[in-house]
DNA sequence: ACAGGCATGTAAATAGTTACATGATTCG
DNA sequence: CGAATCATGTAACTATTTACATGCCTGT
């Protein structure tokens, strides 16, 4: 069974309770988003495919008069999810435009490279702050659902953002320190 | 001028000296690869586009009898590159399958989550080691070309890989520590 | 009444990888 | 001589984003 990478996010997201496509999207956006995103354009077609493959099952679950379909994982779906979870991870990708700009910064004066570092740092600090606001809710859920992993991953995200910000700061200092000798270019 | 994200890697890569598509690919693979990749399928068509747009210029530069075209950046290309370098970075993406697996690890016994963490850690240590072997060459180049940035970015990559490995270790300890009470599941 | 959120979806465009084809040259 | 590397490219596929269309429901 060859599933697309996004298929597993969906399987995981419906593994504990049935959810609608809309809910999956919202959940992805405020949990896995920073290391694994998914858009409507992927989620809805994928739900259809998973449903045809018998890994999830759609059930009508209207809210009032508004129609709504939630998808529940099937026994096969759970097997598939667990089999995947037991495989060692294969995908490790990063696209960090700031590092790319820093890499090429030699064609500009050092002050411009420092500016890139400051922008990177500011961005990471913002991310860290946003993630921190989510921490209390994740902490609650941990106790409620007896599942420590989402909180662990969130805290990893916070630590990473802060580590990165700190690195940017260090590099900026190093950069400006080493140009101080030749006064103003 | 709306350029594709990959266009800038290419502009950057030819900004100091003319290079062939093949060389660009090789260079990307051993420098920016871990935060910005590019494949032949992108590089060759993009070189053609950049050439048509007048941002680079292809020049015949055969090696012996084997034909070969190197691309040099033009004045317009350099303006475009510098303008882009001065914009604050916009793209920050990460796809880390290990974190996704960890996020969903609640459906498996803790030992399996620990296994994922071990695999993640091993992978990062491997990456760190590989990057470290590249450090001396980058150090040489820094002095030779008077360009500290590629080395800085490389060292950032090493530090990140090591930080991540250490985080995995810490999480594994936390995980196994908290399950020690209920002996063997 | 209207804004915003809930809900489902699709079309089009863009991005990116993989695999292949082709052929020369170099090194052991 | 054969393998590896240099070199250029394309076709097919997979992935992913963006923008749009549609319409209901809830709170102000």
């Amino acid at each position: 069974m060859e599933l697309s990478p996004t298929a597993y996010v969906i399987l995981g997201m419906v593994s504990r309770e049935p959810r609608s496509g809309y809910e999956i999207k919202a959940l992805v956006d405020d949990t896995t988003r920073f290391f694994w995103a998914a858009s409507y354009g992927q989620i809805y077609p994928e739900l259809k495919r998973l449903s045809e493959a018998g890994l999830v099952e759609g059930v009508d679950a209207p809210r009032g008069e508004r129609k709504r379909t939630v998808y529940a994982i099937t026994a096969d779906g759970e097997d598939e999810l667990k089999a995947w979870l037991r495989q060692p991870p294969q995908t490790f990708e990063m696209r960090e435009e700031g590092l790319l700009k820093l890499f090429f910064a030699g064609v500009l004066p050092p002050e411009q490279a420092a500016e890139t570092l400051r922008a990177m740092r500011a961005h990471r600090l913002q991310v860290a702050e946003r993630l921190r606001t989510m921490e209390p809710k994740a902490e609650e859920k941990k106790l409620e659902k007896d599942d420590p992993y989402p909180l662990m991953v969130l805290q990893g995200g916070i630590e990473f953002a802060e580590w990165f910000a700190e690195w940017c700061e260090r590099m900026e200092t190093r950069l400006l320190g080493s140009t101080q000798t030749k006064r103003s270019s």
Side-chain angles (χ1 to χ4, degrees), chain A:
Chain A
M1 184 97 48
E2 252 325 289
L3 294 183
S4 75
T6 329
Y8 294 104
V9 196
I10 295 178
L11 280 181
M13 286 301 182
V14 301
S15 66
R16 291 181 163 261
E17 46 187 312
R19 296 184 206 274
S20 68
Y22 187 85
E23 287 171 316
I24 293 170
K25 164 72 168 145
L27 198 56
V28 163
D29 276 354
D30 77 50
T31 55
T32 68
R33 187 180 201 264
F34 81 88
F35 57 90
W36 207 282
S39 61
Y40 287 128
Q42 293 169 269
I43 291 170
Y44 284 110
E46 193 62 52
L47 277 170
K48 200 167 281 179
R49 274 192 292 274
L50 287 173
S51 186
E52 277 158 18
L55 302 180
V56 301
E57 201 176 9
V59 179
D60 273 358
R63 287 249 228 252
E65 281 310 293
R66 188 192 302 161
K67 68 170 116 154
R68 178 163 165 273
T69 310
V70 295
Y71 293 84
I73 201 164
T74 62
D76 281 359
E78 216 175 313
D79 288 349
E80 186 65 38
L81 176 64
K82 286 180 179 168
W84 172 74
L85 286 173
R86 280 188 281 255
Q87 303 297 322
Q90 303 285 330
T91 303
F92 327 86
E93 280 161 36
M94 215 186 187
R95 296 216 112 195
E96 181 69 35
E97 206 186 331
L99 286 178
L100 191 61
K101 289 187 175 182
L102 192 60
F103 187 86
F104 294 132
V107 301
L108 292 177
E111 171 51 30
Q112 304 270 337
E115 188 51 45
T116 299
L117 282 166
R118 278 191 290 271
M120 287 167 75
R121 175 158 181 270
H123 173 253
R124 290 296 160 178
L125 288 178
Q126 229 174 59
V127 169
E129 206 181 322
R130 189 169 51 77
L131 295 180
R132 276 205 186 284
T133 66
M134 304 172 143
E135 222 180 342
K137 210 162 90 188
E139 213 130 6
E140 263 176 57
K141 288 235 171 100
K142 175 194 165 166
L143 300 170
E144 195 184 305
K145 313 252 167 140
D146 192 35
D147 179 2
Y149 301 104
L151 177 63
M152 183 180 281
V153 168
L154 177 66
Q155 289 172 340
I158 296 168
E159 278 192 53
F160 167 59
E162 285 172 350
W163 173 85
F164 202 168
E166 182 269 333
W167 181 82
C168 293
E169 201 180 10
R170 243 187 312 130
M171 292 308 110
E172 196 197 333
T173 307
R174 182 198 286 187
L175 207 59
L176 299 181
S178 65
T179 38
Q180 233 171 14
T181 44
K182 25 174 165 171
R183 308 182 50 72
S184 83
S185 75

